[in-house]
Each structure stands twice: as C-alpha cells, then as structure tokens.
Amino acid sequence: MDISLSFFLIFSMLVIPSSSTTTRSTLNSRSSLSVEKPNDILISPNGVFAAGFHPVGDNAFVLAIWFAKSSSPTVVWTANRDQPVNGKASKLSLLKYGNLILTDGGQNTIWSTPTTTSAAMVQLALLNTGNLVLNSSKSSILWQSFDSPTDTLLPLQMFTRYTTLVSSRSQTNQSSGFYKLFFDNNNLLSLLYNGPKVSSIYWPDPWRMPWDSGRTTFNSSKIAILDTSGYFVSSDFVKFKSADLGLGIQRRLTLDLDGNPRLYSLDEKTGNWTVTWQAMVDPCRVHGICGPNSICSYGSGSGRGCSCLPGHKIKNESDWSYGCELEHNLPDNDQ
Ligand SMILES: *[C@@H]1O[C@H](CO)[C@@H](O)[C@H](O)[C@H]1NC(C)=O
Ligand SMILES: *[C@@H]1O[C@H](CO)[C@@H](O)[C@H](O)[C@H]1NC(C)=O
Ligand SMILES: *[C@@H]1O[C@H](CO)[C@@H](O)[C@H](O)[C@H]1NC(C)=O
Ligand SMILES: *[C@@H]1O[C@H](CO)[C@@H](O)[C@H](O)[C@H]1NC(C)=O
Ligand SMILES: *[C@@H]1O[C@H](CO)[C@@H](O)[C@H](O)[C@H]1NC(C)=O
C-alpha cells in the first residue's frame, strides 16, 4: 500500500468519528441526533429520503423527513411543525426503553413517541418508502411516521379514520394551516376550510348529493391508499390516477397551502416536481381562499386572483386569508 494513502487512512480514522462519515439509515437505542451537526441525518437505503433536523426559519428547526433528491429539500413529514426547536443543543434521542424524544436547548420535551418496551433492543430506521419506523428486536413496529402524516401522503402510506392532512400556513411558514383532508362522519373523504372566522366543507361539492359526486357513504372502513404505480383509491369511491401512471417514479400527494390536494411526480434529472393530478380544477371553489369580504376570480399567473368587495380594503397585504375590511377604519363588528 502506498505510504501516503495508508497515512491518510490512519489519519482519517483518528480524526473523524466513524458514525459521522458513513451515511446510515438507523439510530440505535441510547443514541441521538444533534441539531448542531448537519451530518446527523438518516438516509434511506435507496438514498431517496432523509430524516433529521430541518431549518424552518431563523434559528428554528423541525424534526422532519424530506426527499433528498429533489432540487430543494421537499419535506413530507414533520414531528413538531407548530413548535420548532432552536438551533442550539436540541436533540432527538432514542432512550433505552424505546421512547423517541425531541428535546430543545432547555431540555424540555417538545415531542415524543408514546412507546415503551421491555425489549432488549430498539431501533429507529428510515425505510425506502419514506416511513420512519421504531421497532423492537421482537421485530414489531412500536411507532411509525406513516401513522401521523403532516400535509403529505406517500405511496403505500395508509390514509385512515385516524389520519388527516393539514396544509402549511404559508410558503414560508410550515406550521398548521387552514385546510384539512379527512374522513368525515358520513365516511366521505372531505376537505375542510377551518379559518379564523368560518369553517366549511368544500369537497365533495356541498351542494350535491354524495352519489352525484361519485361517492358512497355506505362503506365505513374509511381507508384510502396511493399505490406505487400512481393509482389512488378510497373506500368512498374516490379514485384517481397519476397522469404518468407507472412504476419507478417518486410521487407524493400534498394538501397544498391553497387548499387543493395535488399529486406530484419527481423528475429525477432536474429534481423538479410536476403536478400529475389535482382535486379542484376550479381553484375558486376552495373555500376561504380569499378570506372574508372578498371575491375570487380567474386571472393570470396561478390562475386565481382575489379582490376586495367595493368599499373594502385588504387587511393583511401578505396574506389574503385575512380577507378585507371596510375602508375608513370602521370597527370590525364580527370579532
Ligand atoms: C427492527 O429492529 C432490529 C433491531 O432491533 C433490526 O435488526 C431490524 O432490521 C429492524 N427491522 C426493520 C424492518 O426495520
Ligand atoms: C407561523 O404561523 C403561526 C400561526 O399563524 C404563528 O404563530 C407563527 O408565529 C408563524 N411563524 C413564523 C416563523 O412566522
Ligand atoms: C369497503 O372498502 C374497502 C376498501 O376499499 C374494500 O376492501 C371493501 O370491500 C369495501 N366494502 C364493501 C362492502 O364494499
Ligand atoms: C427545473 O429545474 C431546473 C434546474 O434545477 C430549473 O432551472 C428550472 O427552472 C426548473 N423548471 C421548472 C419548470 O421549475
Ligand atoms: C399578516 O400575515 C403574515 C403571514 O401570515 C403574518 O406573519 C403577520 O403576522 C400578519 N400581520 C397581521 C398584522 O396580522
């Protein structure tokens, strides 16, 4: 062996702890990931997904899973979207008895899994599907991220009566927003706008009977799934398929911040996402999109525009969901 090469090997073994040099997909008990070490992430064996701390603002981080191969990291799951932790001393730790806990710099527990086990060994693993799984040596699943989606459903992730998708608040704020996808009490996969002042269902079309929208209320199993070739099927008869149907393409179903669920496919060459299906062809039908005292109309660009009713002005220039208020600073009488 070349002397300089062997010197290099010895040198690198001395200075670099082995855990941070190799990409790994698992975390064993009594170990942790630190927010201060950018390399402290798990990578799925196929290289498609990554899990770890993800920045969401100034000194603010969430524990997240994201697509590692898209041009900008596309987050598909977060543990603490409404309570980001700070960039100093925050940690994700897998405790001896199987609890996964997220602590901030002040050692407060911000999030944890409700798991304990007597098993000798527990392991956290990021699987090729994008599912972060906590399992025990008895090989049973103690907890999995697929059971608590954020705004995105991945192929093979079961959508059930216990799960919801909630949109992000805005382009720059990933905390819980106003739109929600869930199974309602009539067994229908529904979209709800739950705004600061009003709350209403906008999908399926509230003015039509469910069967006129191609739905059934009779199947109470309340399950839906997107398969790996791009077919989505739900127990209430919602069915759709990706425009690029077929295996071998990374896809995600995301409830976007405009309240429209869209199916996306990844172009692995550019790292860009393409929309291959969307629920609402008519974006003005999404409730609350322009907020109170405003009208939605079709314009250029994204295809939708908001404007205030006559005599009103926009309440918050950066966020239409606040709607419009009367001009001349009259008090807002419905607060
Ligand atoms: C479950 O954990 C054990 C170690 O406790 C590990 O060997 C095994 O590969 C894990 N199984 C899965 C499916 O992650
Ligand atoms: C994100 O939105 C939430 C809810 O409106 C708000 O409480 C939070 O301060 C916002 N975060 C940022 C970084 O703007
Ligand atoms: C209800 O939906 C589930 C899931 O789609 C399906 O497997 C089952 O056969 C359905 N039951 C009836 C009675 O149609
Ligand atoms: C696709 O990705 C390329 C390279 O990252 C970028 O320059 C281009 O603007 C993207 N195209 C679209 C339609 O977003
Ligand atoms: C306006 O909206 C932005 C984005 O949601 C928010 O951060 C800000 O606090 C809002 N301003 C007021 C005055 O409500």
Side-chain angles (χ1 to χ4, degrees):
M1 189 188 277
D2 181 293
I3 289 177
S4 60
L5 179 61
S6 56
F7 176 76
F8 171 75
L9 286 177
I10 291 164
F11 183 72
S12 52
M13 283 189 297
L14 287 176
V15 296
I16 307 167
S18 60
S19 65
S20 70
T21 52
T22 51
T23 59
R24 52 178 176 165
S25 65
T26 60
L27 184 72
N28 291 328
S29 57
R30 301 192 216 195
S31 50
S32 60
L33 301 179
S34 161
V35 72
E36 291 174 46
K37 297 182 193 149
N39 289 334
D40 253 4
I41 55 174
L42 305 182
I43 303 278
S44 60
N46 62 1
V48 172
F49 294 96
F53 287 96
H54 176 78
V56 290
D58 269 353
N59 195 34
F61 291 80
V62 290
L63 172 64
I65 300 169
W66 62 90
F67 274 100
K69 286 182 170 172
S70 50
S71 50
S72 60
T74 304
V75 172
V76 295
W77 177 82
T78 58
N80 56 319
R81 70 193 305 199
D82 294 316
Q83 207 178 348
V85 291
N86 102 24
K88 200 120 194 93
S90 297
K91 265 192 334 191
L92 175 72
S93 311
L94 181 52
L95 305 184
K96 182 181 169 194
Y97 291 111
N99 287 77
L100 191 58
I101 66 164
L102 175 61
T103 48
D104 67 7
Q107 297 304 307
N108 304 304
T109 299
I110 300 302
W111 174 88
S112 66
T113 57
T115 47
T116 51
T117 174
S118 57
M121 214 186 124
V122 282
Q123 192 179 55
L124 182 71
L126 182 60
L127 308 184
N128 285 342
T129 51
N131 194 4
L132 188 63
V133 172
L134 187 60
N135 82 352
S136 72
S137 46
K138 292 166 184 159
S139 92
S140 59
I141 290 178
L142 300 172
W143 172 88
Q144 55 182 339
S145 62
F146 267 18
D147 287 339
S148 57
T150 307
D151 63 356
T152 295
L153 195 72
L154 291 171
L156 303 181
Q157 179 174 10
M158 199 73 92
F159 194 79
T160 70
R161 68 184 68 225
Y162 306 112
T163 52
T164 58
L165 297 187
V166 175
S167 62
S168 290
R169 186 68 183 77
S170 71
Q171 202 77 52
T172 53
N173 186 334
Q174 291 182 18
S175 68
S176 301
F178 297 135
Y179 300 100
K180 183 174 164 185
L181 179 73
F182 68 112
F183 275 107
D184 77 359
N185 292 334
N186 293 319
N187 306 320
L188 297 174
L189 194 57
S190 304
L191 285 164
L192 173 78
Y193 167 69
N194 192 11
K197 289 186 181 167
V198 289
S199 168
S200 57
I201 297 271
Y202 57 96
W203 188 77
D205 192 337
W207 308 111
R208 300 166 87 186
M209 298 306 276
W211 51 87
D212 290 334
S213 304
R215 307 286 193 102
T216 177
T217 56
F218 295 119
N219 191 328
S220 59
S221 60
K222 300 193 188 189
I223 48 172
I225 193 164
L226 173 67
D227 76 9
T228 47
S229 51
Y231 277 106
F232 180 93
V233 52
S234 162
S235 55
D236 71 346
F237 290 174
V238 169
K239 277 191 197 75
F240 61 82
K241 57 187 188 207
S242 174
D244 60 0
L245 210 59
L247 295 169
I249 298 174
Q250 297 299 329
R251 297 188 178 85
R252 63 184 166 97
L253 179 67
T254 300
L255 179 54
D256 282 333
L257 37 104
D258 64 355
N260 205 349
R262 293 188 180 85
L263 183 61
Y264 291 87
S265 292
L266 182 65
D267 178 345
E268 297 215 18
K269 281 199 218 82
T270 63
N272 294 353
W273 293 97
T274 331
V275 176
T276 52
W277 175 85
Q278 60 181 354
M280 234 71 54
V281 182
D282 173 355
C284 280
R285 293 228 324 254
V286 177
H287 285 194
I289 200 82
C290 293
N293 304 315
S294 64
I295 29 182
C296 178
S297 57
Y298 298 101
S300 52
S302 69
R304 191 192 60 227
C306 298
S307 55
C308 290
L309 290 175
H312 291 72
K313 65 177 189 335
I314 186 168
K315 217 166 169 174
N316 183 333
E317 294 285 349
S318 61
D319 194 339
W320 267 102
S321 63
Y322 288 87
C324 305
E325 59 189 353
L326 280 172
E327 276 167 344
H328 316 302
N329 291 328
L330 288 178
D332 192 352
N333 59 10
D334 58 355
Q335 252 173 5

